[in-house]
Amino acid sequence: DPRRFGGLWTLESQSALRDRWSTLGPDALTMKPADLHTAATGSARAIKALLLDQTAIAGIGNIYADEALFAAGIRPARRASSLTAQERLRLARAIKTVLERAVEARGSSLRDYMDADGRRGEAQLRHAVYGRSGLECLRCRKPLRTSTIAQRTTVYCPNCQS
């Protein structure tokens, strides 16, 4: 990954692999709503910061955190511990749906990203909020806003996300 978000390691055993991955949280595609509850309980962090923390939940990056929070109707700056059980369930479902759709579309090609077959991804064509700051919300037509959470640009709809 040219942005250095990824890496490649060779390990000598399954045990070494387990050790390497031992600090990661549950995989976002297979997590249960209870995993999100465990990660959020008592957390004073913004929910987006929690989603970006790979030790809390593994596999969510900036783009898909914004998209999942929009799909779930949750403002990214909300304190993670303030989410209700219903909101955590909605968010857990939204995370899986957003990631599954992104995988089907071969990821988001921003700048020069290509998949393993050398093809551009197409998920960026479906982004509801990411990269759309100042444009109309696709739901309510009010302008999308930008803030910074966990040192990452965050785009959200102040009307649709509470």
Side-chain angles (χ1 to χ4, degrees), residues 70 126-129 132 136-142 144:
F70 177 77
R126 302 176 189 153
H127 291 170
V129 291
R132 299 189 66 248
E136 287 184 350
C137 172
L138 297 175
R139 283 190 198 142
C140 73
R141 303 292 179 213
K142 299 207 188 270
L144 297 174

Side-chain angles (χ1 to χ4, degrees), residues 3-112:
R3 295 168 295 155
R4 302 198 196 318
F5 290 137
L8 178 66
W9 297 269
T10 58
L11 302 169
E12 54 194 52
S13 67
Q14 286 294 316
S15 175
L17 178 64
R18 281 190 296 280
D19 288 345
R20 178 79 181 174
W21 286 355
S22 67
T23 60
L24 294 176
D27 185 291
L29 279 171
T30 59
M31 74 169 182
K32 297 174 175 43
D35 295 325
L36 186 56
H37 171 76
T38 299
T41 298
S43 178
R45 294 187 287 180
I47 185 60
K48 178 169 180 185
L50 180 89
L51 295 180
L52 294 175
D53 180 352
Q54 301 302 298
T55 65
I57 300 167
I60 304 172
N62 193 46
I63 294 171
Y64 302 118
D66 279 1
E67 293 298 313
L69 288 163
F70 177 77
I74 297 169
R75 193 168 298 211
R78 285 261 312 271
R79 184 175 292 203
S81 61
S82 76
L83 270 60
T84 66
Q86 183 180 22
E87 289 171 322
R88 287 190 305 268
L89 178 61
R90 252 191 355 250
L91 181 55
R93 288 178 177 160
I95 289 166
K96 286 183 184 181
T97 299
V98 163
L99 291 176
E100 286 169 353
R101 288 181 181 161
V103 168
E104 287 172 10
R106 297 183 321 281
S108 295
S109 283
L110 307 175
R111 292 180 292 268
D112 57 359

